[in-house]
Amino acid sequence: MPTTVVRVRPDDWRDLRDVRLRALADAPTAFGSTLAREVAFPDDVWRERAAQGRTLLARSLPDDGGPAGGDRSPGRVVGVAAVVSSPDDPGTAELVSVWVDPGARGTGVAAALLRSADALAVELGARTLALWVTTTNDRALRLYERAGFVRTGATKPLPSDPRLAELRMARRAAG
């Protein structure tokens, strides 16, 4: 599936909201939040999130792979990821909220998001890109392992469902 990955701009807040709610509905045990919590967010929360510029959207391209117009594709959002600086380590960036639409899985969208996440992590000054992934999310675990992430041994309860555990993975930011 031809896609382009773009950084969210303030005017993309509706797309950010829509893809995040789709992700929470599709994979409720993959995130530290819940659909019920985020569907209640007012538009200002989504505008603020979009203005931070730390979220990446994967958009489908026309079948010929060419640009759909200007520097932004009007294509459907088929994936999302965010990168934030670690509050504990200035040399580490956290990869969060990764999700790919079920119809786009296995098409390279996740790999494209990870490449863009690496570049954003380096831009933030990070040498390490780290993440937490639910231990029951086998598909994500395989993706991250193929992408060079290694388990650190750290675990913690999933905030949105403490019955589930998350494990920590990290790798050198490739930029």
Side-chain angles (χ1 to χ4, degrees):
M1 167 180 289
T3 59
T4 186
V5 176
V6 296
R7 215 158 154 181
V8 170
R9 297 188 303 203
D11 59 334
D12 294 325
W13 70 270
R14 286 180 188 87
D15 287 338
L16 174 59
R17 177 197 59 205
D18 295 349
V19 72
R20 176 68 175 171
L21 297 180
R22 284 175 31 219
L24 289 165
D26 174 64
T29 62
F31 301 100
S33 188
T34 65
L35 178 61
R37 177 177 177 261
E38 294 197 18
V39 77
F41 286 170
D43 292 348
D44 288 346
V45 169
W46 298 107
R47 285 186 182 97
E48 181 181 323
R49 284 184 175 187
Q52 292 171 359
R54 300 287 190 246
T55 303
L56 303 163
L57 298 179
R59 293 181 182 273
S60 59
L61 289 174
D63 288 337
D64 64 5
D71 67 341
R72 305 294 274 192
S73 167
R76 183 171 185 265
V77 175
V78 294
V80 63
V83 177
V84 297
S85 297
S86 171
D88 303 321
D89 178 2
T92 299
E94 302 287 335
L95 178 63
V96 297
S97 303
V98 178
W99 178 79
V100 174
D101 185 272
R105 292 178 187 157
T107 66
V109 172
L113 283 166
L114 292 179
R115 283 190 302 275
S116 293
D118 262 330
L120 183 49
V122 169
E123 183 182 316
L124 294 173
R127 295 176 310 283
T128 302
L129 185 59
L131 59 91
W132 290 95
V133 59
T134 309
T135 58
T136 56
N137 193 341
D138 293 331
R139 187 176 191 121
L141 284 165
R142 288 191 306 274
L143 166 73
Y144 297 136
E145 287 168 349
R146 281 192 314 270
F149 286 88
V150 295
R151 297 171 191 223
T152 67
T155 61
K156 69 177 185 178
L158 179 67
S160 61
D161 186 349
R163 297 170 297 171
L164 299 175
E166 290 183 296
L167 62 88
R168 183 88 162 150
M169 300 180 84
R171 74 169 188 205
R172 185 160 206 44

